[in-house]
Amino acid sequence: MAGSTVLLALNDIPPGSVLDAQLAEIRAHLAEDGHDVVRAGTDDDALALVQSRADLTAALVSWDLGDGEAVLKALVGRFTRLPVFLVTASASVDDLPLWVSEVICGYVWLLEDTPGFIAGRIGVAARRYRDEILPPFFRELRRFDDTHEYSWHTPAHAGGVAFLKSPVGRALFDYYGERLFRTDLSISVAELGSLFEHTGPIGDAERNAARIFGADLTYFVLHGDSTGDRIALHASVATDELVLVDRNCHKAIYHGLTLTGGRPVYLVPTRNGYGLMGPIPPAALTREAVGELVPRSPLAADAAAPDPVYAVITNSTYDGLCYDAVRVAELLGASVPRLHLDEAWFAYARFHPLYARRFGMAVDGDAVPDAVRPTVFSTQSTHKLLAAMSQSAMLHVKNSPRAPVEHRQFNETFMMHATTSPLYPMIAGLDVAAGMMDGPGGRWLVDEAVTEAIRFRQAVARIGRRIAAAGDRPAWFFGTWQPDEVDDPRTGQRHVFADAPLDLLRTETACWGLEPGAAWHGFPGLEAGYCLLDPVKVSVTCPGTDARGTAAEQGIPARILTAYLETRRIVVEKTDAYTCLILFSMGITKGKWGTLVDGLLDFKSLYDGGARLADVLPALAGAHPARYDDLTLRDLCDQMHAHLRKSDLIPLLDAAFTHPPRPELTPAQTYQRLLRGGTEPVRLAELAGRTVATQVVTTPPGIPVLMPGENAGGHDEPTLRYLRALEDFDRHFPGFPSETHGVTRGPDGDYRITCLRAR
Ligand SMILES: *Cc1c(COP(=O)(O)O)cnc(C)c1O
């Protein structure tokens, strides 16, 4: 049985003893039956193997192995349904704690049964485990693949055979291997069920995922969360109906509105001194606030009805700010019957107690009474933070009697956005992504990412202290964004973050809450418990500003750090003015972050030591010798920091969002104009008063400054001043272009934005 490994966690046994001989025979029987055996002679060894080996299929653990209890707990906390046999020295099992007999699969007395019998019991259990852990679709797909039928249906590569007839095709076949093509089947394989009728093993897989994610209905979406977003809107919003939309929303939401003819009214998140986007404050979500906001929108005048029918919120934000979803549902439920939480970056939330109440599927009848509870959609990019291939996504529904999703009707929309030729390996991937999170295994996986992220955060904080203690070099200046101090509600004790116990930080939600008014986050208008910073989304902070927006004398703009890290093959997720974001996902390996810590330390010594840019960023200096050749790393940091301060980019950004642009056309009207009237690129100098045709997104804050159909505003109004300041920045610092989407650059780097052609 390939890939089956049995763990024998038993005390070291004197060579030549009777027990030793017995064990050798058990091993021989297991090997004959096709199992590998790994041996741990101490509890530490056993714990290390439990952490690192996902291929265990059974375990034999001695209760007397050091802390045998810890080993047993680790096994059942890591593996769902793994057969564990307990070896006890005493003949009586009465003295063992009760939970032990509940989690183990049986007892083994090594000297009382024959080795063949013992190995046989273990082997049968291992085999059953291997069969039973597979989720429904993947299990059937494997079985089907094993039958090796000849197929007469599409795809025409016929299990990969067509590729073998051409040298080019052969290269692809060899590269990916036969199995991918063997399991790339057509929907005419009835045994595997249907993605459109949600029947058979595919339907079972969706229902299994619904159980695991806590949904009433789950749909597998094979074209990304973008499609999941469009489906949810398309199934809920009719022409000219009003929709409350998080300004911090993904393009796909806008596209959904374009398809439906919905009329967006934007809810604007808060910003802090780093320029990071925060949550939408609770006061903006009340029935009263919505009642005031909606009529002010020019798009509300011609709406089908005065009240919005739908709200969509991004949860969590890119920077890891997650809402109390139950609270958001209570608040918005007073205004809309359906609430959509775009959880593209948050599919893991249900599997760790740190995120209790923070995700859409937590909004059930127990949490919010039916009378005020909206039906909740959660759309997730399964591929972004769980283990699945790109494009794999899920759409989950938690129904409320107020506006329930009726499957048959919803399925019409689902099919409208689907291909009739789904890729079965992707369905298997979604099935497995869900299966991986089932039971204790899911919590274990998320907990590992949480733990590594916290270790990294604490390591960065402790460096500062070590440098200060050494007293022989300039002070440390990097950090990570989180509270400086945390309280332990269990003991009432307060800890400096760097010294807080790991177990406190990885289990206590209160440590990560954005408490109202706290200086470290700088967001206004919060309630206690409303918003949480997710520890796995780490913003590395550079000197230059703080969360309140107080500028510092010394500054290291994060773009320079990012450029340096790239030379060391460390690629960050996102770069803002003085922060850059890194993600700790389930793919993290222990200590992978050590290279990043090393990179930060090296940057500092280059900066302190007056290293020349030509040495630190040779490609940059080589491309722009006249601009950068004479500078040191520190000179560049100083110049860029001075420029950012002088140009007031962050205050301008703030002003741009405080005075949002005026919408002139609905998304659907904009699209019609785009089709029939055409578009043209317009320079910033001529953009005043024009209606833009594309979304303009800049980082920071990574959310739209302009939406299609909105008026760019006056020349001296905040939106255009902000865009001009960015353009000016790019001119001053060639090689560090601002991250902007929806902006094309002219020959001399000037910004051009696509507008509807003037009539
Ligand atoms: C990435 C993202 C999407 C789209 O997801 P894909 O799986 O890439 O299609 C939707 N919403 C948000 C908030 C995202 O970040």
Side-chain angles (χ1 to χ4, degrees), residues 118-426:
I118 294 172
R121 267 180 86 198
I122 298 172
V124 167
R127 193 159 272 135
R128 187 182 315 130
Y129 168 77
R130 273 265 305 249
D131 288 342
E132 283 179 359
I133 52 165
L134 296 185
F137 178 76
F138 184 46
R139 188 192 310 151
E140 287 309 310
L141 183 72
R142 282 168 54 122
R143 211 167 275 170
F144 184 82
D145 177 35
D146 284 346
T147 62
H148 289 289
E149 290 181 2
Y150 277 116
S151 75
W152 295 98
H153 45 69
T154 58
H157 65 64
V161 177
F163 294 113
L164 301 178
K165 299 185 181 181
S166 132
V168 176
R170 174 91 214 193
L172 184 80
F173 184 90
D174 290 344
Y175 187 70
Y176 282 113
E178 176 172 0
R179 195 152 258 151
L180 174 64
F181 303 109
R182 279 257 163 249
T183 55
D184 178 17
L185 300 162
S186 109
I187 55 168
S188 46
V189 179
E191 296 94 309
L192 293 174
S194 156
L195 186 63
F196 303 108
E197 283 148 46
H198 310 275
T199 50
I202 296 181
D204 291 342
E206 287 183 318
R207 284 181 285 279
N208 190 47
R211 174 184 61 80
I212 293 167
F213 285 88
D216 293 331
L217 295 165
T218 288
Y219 296 86
F220 284 176
V221 180
L222 304 190
H223 325 278
D225 186 39
S226 305
T227 303
D229 284 341
R230 289 191 294 264
I231 293 173
L233 278 149
H234 210 184
S236 306
V237 178
T239 308
D240 289 330
E241 287 182 335
L242 288 164
V243 180
L244 299 173
V245 183
D246 191 340
R247 187 75 183 184
N248 182 7
C249 76
H250 189 263
K251 276 192 187 62
I253 302 293
Y254 182 81
H255 294 150
L257 291 166
T258 308
L259 292 171
T260 59
R263 293 172 170 257
V265 176
Y266 290 104
L267 299 164
V268 183
T270 46
R271 282 84 43 207
N272 72 2
Y274 290 117
L276 299 178
M277 275 291 136
I280 303 163
L285 302 183
T286 61
R287 169 121 189 120
E288 296 68 38
V290 169
E292 278 177 34
L293 177 75
V294 169
R296 283 209 305 266
S297 167
L299 299 186
D302 296 324
D307 287 329
V309 297
Y310 193 85
V312 48
I313 305 279
T314 303
N315 181 50
S316 75
T317 68
Y318 208 169
D319 303 297
L321 298 173
C322 34
Y323 290 89
D324 177 348
V326 172
R327 179 78 181 124
V328 168
E330 277 167 2
L331 287 165
L332 281 174
S335 298
V336 293
R338 284 190 178 181
L339 169 64
H340 174 176
L341 296 178
D342 185 349
E343 299 186 335
W345 294 91
F346 207 36
Y348 52 88
R350 184 161 197 266
F351 308 102
H352 199 285
L354 208 51
Y355 309 107
R357 289 170 67 101
R358 302 267 150 205
F359 53 95
M361 291 304 103
V363 185
D364 57 17
D366 295 334
V368 186
D370 280 355
V372 287
R373 181 164 58 96
T375 284
V376 178
F377 293 103
S378 160
T379 50
Q380 300 178 340
S381 293
T382 315
H383 64 95
K384 276 186 182 155
L385 283 167
L386 299 185
M389 277 182 288
S390 291
Q391 298 190 20
S392 310
M394 292 189 207
L395 185 159
H396 307 291
V397 182
K398 182 73 92 183
N399 266 330
S400 149
R402 280 171 72 197
V405 165
E406 203 273 303
H407 167 69
R408 249 171 316 177
Q409 184 192 328
F410 190 81
N411 205 37
E412 285 301 309
T413 320
F414 175 80
M415 290 192 289
M416 209 183 295
H417 290 265
T419 167
T420 47
S421 315
L423 182 66
Y424 280 38
M426 270 183 79

Side-chain angles (χ1 to χ4, degrees), residues 505-581:
L505 294 175
R506 50 190 261 267
T507 52
E508 185 48 61
T509 306
C511 295
W512 302 94
L514 269 63
E515 288 316 296
W520 71 268
H521 61 75
F523 294 112
L526 299 179
E527 289 173 353
Y530 179 72
C531 183
L532 182 93
L533 172 64
D534 186 344
V536 305
K537 294 172 179 154
V538 182
S539 292
V540 173
T541 57
C542 305
T545 182
D546 63 16
R548 291 245 163 109
T550 317
E553 278 310 310
Q554 184 192 19
I556 298 180
R559 287 183 231 215
I560 302 175
L561 174 64
T562 295
Y564 170 72
L565 292 175
E566 270 167 20
T567 68
R568 313 226 350 197
R569 297 168 171 269
I570 299 172
V571 180
V572 305
E573 179 69 33
K574 175 177 80 128
T575 305
D576 289 273
Y578 293 98
T579 57
C580 52
L581 178 71

